[in-house]
């Protein structure tokens, strides 16, 4: 097994499955490649857990550490709490902008690893990891490690055929390191990236009366996710659901599985780190071929596709266009390989963006971002509250509401039986009406259950999408805060004469580019919020109104069978007459 030596001190969080390590401690790695840049290993005492890969070096392959690195042993790579609205900006433990006097010295310091998109050696069109792949034994065999058991329990990881709910936002993110660094955004700000402007995929931000905005989509289009179909491979040994995806942009229909969407989401999340992506539906092992689950998954995928099509950047993304138009297997492999080797991801994506040639006031930008953050925090709370209320109503419609109406129907049936004990021809009409009432009330109960699917399912799906997208905002805001923090830091260095004015201007330009992208996203997301909730509530209320109008019509028809309608009409005219003559003396009123 691989052995590593700790070059930074790391303190584990309680009940997290992490392992505390000390500088120069020797550790044995039992599993590598864990999402978020972690390793699993044990120390000399036999203690087992997770620790950051960037905090250790391999003993056999790494040369002796330079003295400059040894000095930093007590200053590990900065990390911030993921998915937190109040996470502080990244602290400055990394090399600052090189100048002519200290450039060589900084080059000798080991820089933290920059995020590089995962490369898949297996380019087969239909042979990626399936949704139901079992987790590795090194994760699941943790009988001697209570902390790992707690971590697994908290993350709802199960083995075999049990359900695994790991959607694109539901799965716990154990990576506590700053996206600002691992995405390459810091290298972009400090001019450390070797890349330059890219022309193949280009986007532009302009200034309008509403502020910074992306140039709108020149040719709006839409995509339809439809026709889920169960297919198989390896002579039926493996089954899966394939969805047709058809774009109005090209008219081409392609077949895509859930894992293809998952791959696309991963690629786009890595590339566009300042753009909040809505989540995909949750992964699930048990019940994957049930009709309700397939329909639910299709609806969530449709919402996701709609969001991508409407976004000025995502809708023009090379990897997205490839996803919705490529039908040739060889071209698909080449496009997939190209996307996975794309260097213009994370911070480097900014080289593909042209911003206005107008400097920004960083304090003014911070104020706008803070206002947006408070707004999104409030929206997140409201969406969570509404989602819970709608979920509760959904359960009641198919439970207590349905049951109560049908129990009323049973009560009417009981009345019919009572009338039949001593039959009378005079009661035939009321008995017939009671039977019809019992039947209608039972039907109304069933209709309440159908209402949950017709009216509340679409609302829940839309709210689920917003819950996931709003959960991305804190990370995006923290990346921008880190950029502003880096700007402030270099402004101080410039005052001290440790950074040249030319380099300082370049850093300011880079941070302005990040701020322009942030402001453009704020403008777009604010507009989308209004449009989405307008359409969401209109659809919900229309279906509710249609439902209750239909129920009301049936109840009015029943009332007429009991001759109640005529009585109500008479009472109505009496009431109307009394109201119009209220100014007359009592003895003159009709």
């Amino acid at each position: 097994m691989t052995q590593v030596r700790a070059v930074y001190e790391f303190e584990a969080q309680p009940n997290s499955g992490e392992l505390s390590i000390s500088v120069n401690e020797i550790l044995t790695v039992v599993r590598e490649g864990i999402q978020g840049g972690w390793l699993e290993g044990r120390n000399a005492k036999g203690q087992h857990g997770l620790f950051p890969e960037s905090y250790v070096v391999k003993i056999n392959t790494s040369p002796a550490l330079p003295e400059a690195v040894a000095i930093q042993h007590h200053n590990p790579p900065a990390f911030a709490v993921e998915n937190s609205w109040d996470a502080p900006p990244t602290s400055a433990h990394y090399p600052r902008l090189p100048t002519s006097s200290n450039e060589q010295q900084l080059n000798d310091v080991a820089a933290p690893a920059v995020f590089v998109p995962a490369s898949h050696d297996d380019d087969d069109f239909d042979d990626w990891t399936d949704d139901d792949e079992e987790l590795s034994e090194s994760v699941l065999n943790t009988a001697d490690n209570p902390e790992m058991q707690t971590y697994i329990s908290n993350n709802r990881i199960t083995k075999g055929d049990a359900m695994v709910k790991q959607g694109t936002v539901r799965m716990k993110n154990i990576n506590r390191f700053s996206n600002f660094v691992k995405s390459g955004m810091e290298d972009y700000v400090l001019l450390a990236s070797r890349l330059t402007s890219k022309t193949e995929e280009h986007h532009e931000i302009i200034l309008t009366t509403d502020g910074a905005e992306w140039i709108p989509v020149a040719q709006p289009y839409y995509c339809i996710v439809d026709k889920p179909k169960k297919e198989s491979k390896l002579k039926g040994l493996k089954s899966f659901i394939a969805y047709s995806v058809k774009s109005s942009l090209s008219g081409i229909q392609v077949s895509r599985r859930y894992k293809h969407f998952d791959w696309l989401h991963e690629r786009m999340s890595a590339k566009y780190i300042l753009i909040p992506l809505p989540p995909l539906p949750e992964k699930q092992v048990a019940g994957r071929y049930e009709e309700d689950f397939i329909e639910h998954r299709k609806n969530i995928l449709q919402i996701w596709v709609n969001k991508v099509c409407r976004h000025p950047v995502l809708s023009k993304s090379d990897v997205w266009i490839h996803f919705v138009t490529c039908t040739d297997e060889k071209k698909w492999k080449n496009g997939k390989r190209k996307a996975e080797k794309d260097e213009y991801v994370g911070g480097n994506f900014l080289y593909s963006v042209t911003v206005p040639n107008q400097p920004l006031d960083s304090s003014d930008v911070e104020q706008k971002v803070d206002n947006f953050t408070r707004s999104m925090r409030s929206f997140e709370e409201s969406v969570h509250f509404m989602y819970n209320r709608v979920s509760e109503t959904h359960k009641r419609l198919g439970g207590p509401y349905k049951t109560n109406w049908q129990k009323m129907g049973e009560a009417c049936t009981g009345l019919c039986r009572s009338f039949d004990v001593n039959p009378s021809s005079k009661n035939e009409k009321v008995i017939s009406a009671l039977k019809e009432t019992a039947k209608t009330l039972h039907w109304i109960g069933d209709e309440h259950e159908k209402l949950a699917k017709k009216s509340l399912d679409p609302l829940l799906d839309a709210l689920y999408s917003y819950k996931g997208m709003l959960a991305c905002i804190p990370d995006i805001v923290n990346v921008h805060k880190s950029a502003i923090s880096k700007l402030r830091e270099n402004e101080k260095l410039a005052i001290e004469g440790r950074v040249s004015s030319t380099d300082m201007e370049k850093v300011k330009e880079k941070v302005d580019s990040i701020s322009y992208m942030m402001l453009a996203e704020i403008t777009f997301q604010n507009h989308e919020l209004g449009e989405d909730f307008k359409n969401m509530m209109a659809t919900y209320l229309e279906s509710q109104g249609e439902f209750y109008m239909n129920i009301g019509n049936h109840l009015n028809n029943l009332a007429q069978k009991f001759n109640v309608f005529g009585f109500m009409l008479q009472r109505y005219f009496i009431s109307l007459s009394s109201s119009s003559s209220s100014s007359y003396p009592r003895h003159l009123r009709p």
Side-chain angles (χ1 to χ4, degrees):
M1 291 186 179
T2 304
Q3 286 194 318
V4 296
R5 178 162 58 87
V7 293
Y8 301 113
E9 183 177 339
F10 174 73
E11 183 177 352
Q13 293 184 344
N15 299 322
S16 64
E18 298 170 351
L19 177 66
S20 295
I21 60 177
S22 303
V23 176
N24 291 326
E25 183 177 6
I26 305 301
L27 304 153
T28 301
V29 177
V30 298
R31 188 163 68 99
E32 302 181 36
I34 301 175
Q35 180 183 5
W38 294 77
L39 296 174
E40 181 185 347
R42 61 174 178 268
N43 57 20
K45 299 178 182 178
Q47 296 172 326
H48 206 88
L50 302 172
F51 51 87
E53 185 175 6
S54 59
Y55 277 42
V56 299
V57 293
K58 290 184 180 180
I59 292 178
N60 298 330
T61 59
S62 298
L65 288 174
E67 185 176 351
V69 176
I71 295 174
Q72 294 190 1
H73 280 175
H74 297 287
N75 289 323
F79 61 86
V81 179
E82 296 280 344
N83 296 329
S84 169
W85 288 99
D86 301 312
T90 308
S91 56
H93 291 309
Y94 292 101
R96 297 185 175 92
L97 181 68
T99 63
S100 56
S101 61
N102 63 5
E103 183 174 0
Q104 183 59 43
Q105 178 184 356
L106 292 178
N107 285 340
D108 292 336
V109 179
V114 175
F115 175 80
V116 178
S119 175
H120 299 272
D121 294 330
D122 183 5
D123 289 319
D124 186 72
F125 178 82
D126 198 34
D127 197 28
W128 300 341
T129 303
D130 286 324
D131 301 341
D132 54 355
E133 181 183 21
E134 291 188 358
L135 297 170
S136 67
E137 293 296 326
S138 59
V139 175
L140 296 167
N141 293 339
T142 55
D144 58 342
N145 188 353
E147 288 190 352
M148 286 297 290
Q149 286 181 331
T150 302
Y151 167 74
I152 291 172
S153 175
N154 291 341
N155 286 274
R156 303 171 67 186
I157 298 177
T158 56
K159 186 178 179 181
D161 293 332
M163 182 181 296
V164 180
K165 289 195 173 182
Q166 294 180 323
T168 51
V169 295
R170 295 293 182 88
M171 184 170 60
K172 180 183 177 183
N173 187 352
I174 62 173
N175 176 25
R176 294 188 284 130
F177 298 97
S178 170
N179 277 339
F180 181 69
V181 175
K182 73 176 185 178
S183 66
M185 193 66 79
E186 184 181 59
D187 281 349
Y188 171 79
V189 170
L190 299 184
L191 316 178
S193 175
R194 59 181 177 79
L195 301 178
T196 57
S197 297
K198 183 184 180 185
T199 57
E200 187 173 344
E201 182 181 329
H202 180 261
H203 307 278
E204 186 175 354
I205 296 172
I206 58 175
L207 288 174
T208 68
T209 54
D210 293 328
E213 289 190 56
W214 295 106
I215 286 187
V217 180
Q219 184 181 352
Y221 65 96
Y222 60 88
C223 287
I224 301 296
V225 180
D226 200 10
K227 301 176 183 176
K229 181 181 178 183
K230 187 175 182 180
E231 298 180 0
S232 62
K233 63 180 182 179
L234 300 178
K235 297 182 179 180
L237 292 178
K238 283 192 175 183
S239 299
F240 54 88
I241 300 296
Y243 301 85
S244 72
V245 181
K246 187 174 182 179
S247 163
S248 65
L249 185 66
S250 62
I252 297 174
Q253 179 174 302
V254 297
S255 178
R256 297 289 181 257
R257 296 172 58 181
Y258 174 85
K259 63 183 180 181
H260 299 149
F261 282 95
D262 196 37
W263 171 84
L264 176 65
H265 193 283
E266 179 187 347
R267 299 267 64 78
M268 297 181 83
S269 296
K271 187 176 181 71
Y272 310 108
I273 66 167
L274 291 181
I275 298 176
L277 277 172
L280 293 178
E282 295 172 332
K283 295 180 180 179
Q284 183 169 315
V285 175
R288 287 191 300 146
Y289 303 118
E290 293 179 2
E291 184 177 343
D292 286 347
F293 174 76
I294 293 172
E295 184 67 18
H296 166 71
R297 173 171 278 188
K298 187 195 78 170
N299 292 340
I300 297 289
L301 291 175
Q302 183 65 64
I303 292 173
W304 191 83
V305 163
N306 291 345
K307 284 284 187 183
V308 173
C309 288
R310 291 202 304 267
H311 197 283
V313 174
L314 303 180
S315 62
K316 297 192 296 182
S317 170
D318 290 343
V319 65
W320 163 252
I321 298 298
H322 178 69
F323 180 85
V324 296
T325 59
C326 185
T327 56
D328 181 78
E329 183 175 347
K330 185 176 181 180
K331 290 181 179 179
W332 170 266
K333 291 179 181 179
N334 292 335
K336 177 175 175 285
R337 189 181 298 111
K338 178 182 177 182
E340 289 166 354
K341 294 181 179 180
D342 185 7
E343 294 182 292
Y344 289 87
V345 299
N348 290 334
F349 168 71
L350 271 297
Y351 288 111
S352 302
V353 180
T354 300
V355 302
N357 188 24
Q358 180 176 328
L360 290 170
D361 182 342
S362 57
S363 297
D364 180 58
V365 172
E366 283 184 291
Q367 182 62 48
K368 291 179 180 178
V369 173
D370 286 343
N371 292 339
F372 175 72
T373 303
R374 286 194 295 271
S375 172
M376 293 301 102
R377 184 188 294 116
S378 177
F379 264 110
E380 185 178 40
E381 293 172 356
S382 299
V383 168
H384 272 274
F385 181 80
M386 188 173 188
Y387 184 88
N388 291 336
R389 297 289 75 75
V390 176
S391 297
E392 186 177 322
T393 303
H394 191 287
K395 294 176 183 177
R396 290 180 177 178
L397 284 172
Y401 290 1
K402 174 184 177 180
T403 302
N404 288 341
W405 280 98
Q406 293 184 345
K407 283 184 176 179
M408 283 294 295
E410 293 172 3
C412 290
T413 302
L415 286 174
C416 290
R417 288 195 293 265
S418 297
F419 274 109
D420 288 337
V421 172
N422 186 21
S424 171
S425 59
K426 293 182 178 180
N427 294 330
E428 288 180 357
K429 188 173 183 180
V430 70
I431 293 173
S432 174
L434 281 171
K435 289 181 179 179
E436 185 68 22
T437 300
K439 181 179 178 181
T440 301
L441 294 179
H442 195 280
W443 170 82
I444 290 176
D446 289 335
E447 287 300 300
H448 274 81
E449 187 174 28
K450 294 178 183 178
L451 177 67
K453 292 184 178 181
K454 181 179 179 181
S455 179
L456 298 190
D457 277 359
L459 183 59
L460 283 172
D461 290 343
L463 291 172
Y464 165 84
S465 178
Y466 256 97
K467 281 174 61 182
M469 194 167 66
L470 289 169
C472 300
I473 301 296
D475 285 343
I476 294 172
V477 170
N478 287 332
V479 168
H480 181 260
K481 283 184 177 180
S482 297
I484 296 294
S485 177
K486 192 63 64 177
L487 175 64
R488 299 275 189 265
E489 178 185 325
N490 280 274
E491 286 174 343
K492 292 180 181 178
L493 293 175
I495 293 173
E496 297 170 0
R498 298 168 60 186
V499 171
S500 68
S501 58
T502 301
D503 286 340
M504 185 61 238
E505 289 177 4
K506 291 179 180 179
V507 170
K508 178 67 166 61
E509 288 177 2
K510 298 296 185 183
V511 174
D512 277 357
S513 294
I514 297 173
S515 294
Y516 267 119
M517 186 169 175
M518 187 74 192
L519 294 175
E521 269 305 297
I522 289 175
T523 303
F524 178 78
Q525 295 302 333
N526 283 336
H527 177 266
E528 282 288 288
L529 274 169
E531 289 296 311
D532 284 343
F533 278 92
K534 179 182 72 176
N535 296 331
M536 195 187 306
M537 295 308 299
T539 302
Y540 165 70
L541 293 174
E542 284 173 4
S543 62
Q544 291 281 310
E546 180 184 347
F547 171 79
Y548 286 109
M549 186 177 294
N550 189 24
I551 297 298
N553 290 336
H554 278 80
L555 293 176
N556 281 330
N557 290 336
L558 285 175
Q560 292 182 48
K561 293 182 181 296
F562 289 96
N563 287 328
V564 175
F565 182 78
F567 174 72
M568 291 177 62
L569 195 63
Q570 182 182 8
R571 290 289 302 271
Y572 170 76
F573 282 117
I574 292 175
S575 172
L576 185 64
S577 177
S578 298
S579 174
S580 61
S581 60
S582 59
S583 58
Y584 289 90
R586 181 180 298 274
H587 67 281
L588 295 178
R589 295 179 191 174

